[in-house]
Structures are given as structure tokens and as C-alpha cells.
Amino acid sequence: MTSPDRGADQPRQGARVERPGASAGGAEERREHLRTLLGLDPTTTEGRLAAVPPAPSDGGPVEVQLLAPCGEPGAAPDADPDVIPAFLLRPDPAVDTRAGVVLIAGHGRGIDDLVITDPADEYHDALAHKLARAGLTVLCPEMISFGRRRVPPPPGGAPWAPEEKTCEIDAARHLLRGQPVMGRRVADARAAVQALRALPGVDPERVAVAGGSGGGAVALMLAAADETISAALVATYFCTFDASIASIRHCPCNIVPGLLPELEMADIAALIAPRPLVIEAGERDHIFPIAATLEAFAQLRPVWEAHGAVPPELVVTPGGHAFRAERSLEALLERLAAA
């Protein structure tokens, strides 16, 4: 179901969300501050795909290589640190919208969770296939700490189990060097957007970013930091830092030092305006409480209205922490069609 604008009608104390009549310079200063905290350089052009095999007749996922100078180790000893494994899914030509989406997996086994169908991953529910069936070209880059981009096990240690992640190691490795691992994930997702824009048959002006949970964090921050992102779909993440990550046990890979107090989640989301934003949330999500999501979402409408743009849509599903992409996917398609 789609939620009304209920909950907190007044902005929280100390909110910095851009208000009608506020200067554009303030938003740009906050965007630059976000980029600095993430270690993101918006002037770089660093993403491209290696040779892309033909789309299979059954429309299934194709493994591709995203070439980007990230310098991160892979789980295999001989893995190239500047090659990011990815899946590419092409829509049936009969439903192809020529729009594209970079889809980021949440915490789990990585990109395999986005495409597995027998059985489907409980959280993502074969999400990449849903997007492709809806007419989108879908690129799913592997993020650091998951699947093929986990750091290698210690010498003499047992291989990682399929469900194991190396978030704690990667978070420590990056923070000790002064940058959050979230910043690297955002940069890699941005490289995937650049690569998808260059793919024949994809309209470079209609490439969105989508993700849920930890993938939602990447999608939200990338769309806020990079004004060229066409639209964003953020699921089971948008809330407040105060009510979620700062109150409930979460993985340290979510931490971006220095975000608070200036950049609460609503402040970050406001930087996406006037571009399309769709948010999905679970009514019974135990790690991103719905009350705080409604409170944060109530602050966004005036920002888009000040631009004369269609306000974000919040879709509240009756379940918990799961990315269903039903009405939220419809809303994303509507907004991309209008772009």
C-alpha cells in the first residue's frame, strides 16, 4: 500500500532539509560535504564494461566485467583489483523501455541474491528479473564485502561459506585509511551507472539507481551526491540514523563518519530534488522503524514542491524487512517514462 503523509507533520528539531525559498547554494554546499565524507570525486569518468556477450534467448543474466580503477582485493588470489564482477540483464525487445537501472544488492551473498530463482532469495525475491521483465536494462555490480568481492580468508583459513560477508574487515580497512567503505561502494555504483549509459540501446538520460537495505544506502547516497543520476528507488533503508543505525545493531559498514548532525537521512534525500525518488518501507521492519520513516518522509514534499516537481512517493508494504518492488517499481517506471 502507499502511505499518506501521516506521522510527524512538523520537521524534527535541528533539521537541515532544504525549505521553500532556501538558497540553492546551501544544498550544493551540503552535497559537496557529502561527497567529501564519502571520498567521492564527481569529475571522474571511470566505468566501462568489458566485451559484452549477446543476450541469451531466455533473457537470463549474463556475467560481465565492470572495469573501474578501485584497487580492491577480490576473494580469488588472482582477482584483478580493478575489475568488478557484475550481472547484466536485458529486457525482451517487446517491452524494452530503453531505460536502465543499476541495482545494488543488500547484505547477503551479493549479486547472486539478485538473480537466483530456485528458490528466490527471501529478501530480494528475484528482483533483477522483475526489473528486466518491466522493460529495464539491469546492471548489478558486486559491492565490496559480498560474493566475489570479499577479502581473501586469512592464510591457512577455511574458505568463506557462501553466506559469509567481510563487512567488518572492509569497514576497518577503509576507516583506518580515513574513508568509509560506503564511499567505495558509492563510487563503484557510480562507475556502473557510467558503464550502463554507454551500452547500446540504453537511453543515457534515463538511468536510475535502485537498492534495498545496504543497497538502499548506496542508492540514496549516490543519487544525492551525483546530480546526473536520473532517479532513485530506495527500499527498506530510508528512516533516520537516530532511530535505526544509531539505536539498533547494524553492520559497521553503514557508518560514514561526520554525517551527523548536518546530514540526517532526510537531508541526504533532499539533495535528490527535483529528480524522481521512490521509497519503499516495510510496516513491520524491525531495523528501520516505520514511525521514523514516516517522520523523515514528511519533510521531503516541500523540497520537491519548491522546485515545481513531483514529490517523492513512499510505498509501505505490509511485511517486514524485504524488498518487494511492486508498487514502488511501477512508480519508478512512471517517473522514468516522464523523464
Side-chain angles (χ1 to χ4, degrees):
M1 64 180 177
T2 303
S3 80
D5 287 339
R6 53 192 170 98
D9 293 325
Q10 299 298 321
R12 71 184 188 285
Q13 189 68 28
R16 293 178 180 267
V17 172
E18 197 75 12
R19 300 298 180 199
S23 70
E28 189 51 45
E29 288 171 5
R30 288 195 288 280
R31 192 188 327 279
E32 186 57 38
H33 183 46
L34 176 62
R35 291 167 178 162
T36 299
L37 294 176
L38 293 171
L40 188 69
D41 182 355
T43 66
T44 57
T45 303
E46 49 186 20
R48 61 186 180 90
L49 291 179
V52 179
S57 57
D58 62 0
V62 175
E63 291 198 47
V64 294
Q65 292 182 327
L66 171 61
L67 308 181
C70 56
E72 294 291 337
D78 58 348
D80 188 326
D82 294 333
V83 172
I84 300 173
F87 281 125
L88 177 66
L89 293 86
R90 293 279 209 168
D92 186 301
V95 298
D96 192 351
T97 64
R98 298 190 70 247
V101 61
V102 168
L103 178 61
I104 310 299
H107 280 63
R109 297 186 308 147
I111 55 177
D112 290 286
D113 280 349
L114 296 172
V115 301
I116 190 171
T117 58
D118 189 22
D121 170 69
E122 186 175 323
Y123 175 82
H124 297 96
D125 192 29
L127 183 55
H129 298 279
K130 286 185 181 180
L131 299 179
R133 287 196 299 269
L136 298 169
T137 297
V138 187
L139 182 60
C140 311
E142 192 83 277
M143 295 286 101
I144 297 169
S145 310
F146 310 118
R148 298 155 179 81
R149 295 188 75 196
R150 297 171 290 181
V151 296
W160 301 123
E163 69 278 5
E164 284 188 277
K165 304 171 284 292
T166 62
C167 297
E168 297 89 347
I169 298 172
D170 292 307
R173 191 164 53 85
H174 283 75
L175 287 172
L176 287 168
R177 291 167 171 81
Q179 289 192 339
V181 69
M182 182 63 70
R184 185 67 258 169
R185 290 174 180 166
V186 170
D188 293 345
R190 182 173 179 270
V193 169
Q194 293 169 340
L196 186 53
R197 285 181 180 140
L199 201 64
V202 174
D203 181 352
E205 301 299 319
R206 293 191 297 137
V207 174
V209 62
S213 193
V218 175
L220 179 71
M221 294 190 190
L222 174 57
D226 187 342
E227 294 174 279
T228 71
I229 303 299
S230 301
L233 169 54
V234 177
T236 66
Y237 175 76
F238 182 76
C239 186
T240 67
F241 291 122
D242 182 62
S244 58
I245 291 169
S247 297
I248 299 168
R249 183 173 292 173
H250 281 262
C251 179
C253 69
N254 286 284
I255 297 171
V256 179
L259 281 178
L260 296 180
E262 184 175 1
L263 292 171
E264 249 293 0
M265 286 199 203
D267 303 307
I268 295 171
L271 298 175
I272 300 173
R275 291 165 290 141
L277 171 63
V278 180
I279 297 170
E280 179 178 315
E283 193 166 30
R284 300 196 302 274
D285 194 328
H286 64 290
I287 56 175
F288 293 98
I290 190 63
T293 297
L294 294 170
E295 174 192 350
F297 183 75
Q299 301 171 50
L300 300 183
R301 176 179 289 273
V303 185
W304 270 258
E305 289 180 341
H307 287 278
V310 177
E313 181 170 338
L314 172 61
V315 178
V316 179
T317 67
H321 192 68
F323 194 173
R324 295 285 71 102
E326 294 167 351
R327 170 54 201 166
S328 62
L329 174 55
E330 291 177 358
L332 177 67
L333 291 170
E334 291 166 5
R335 285 156 171 77
L336 286 174

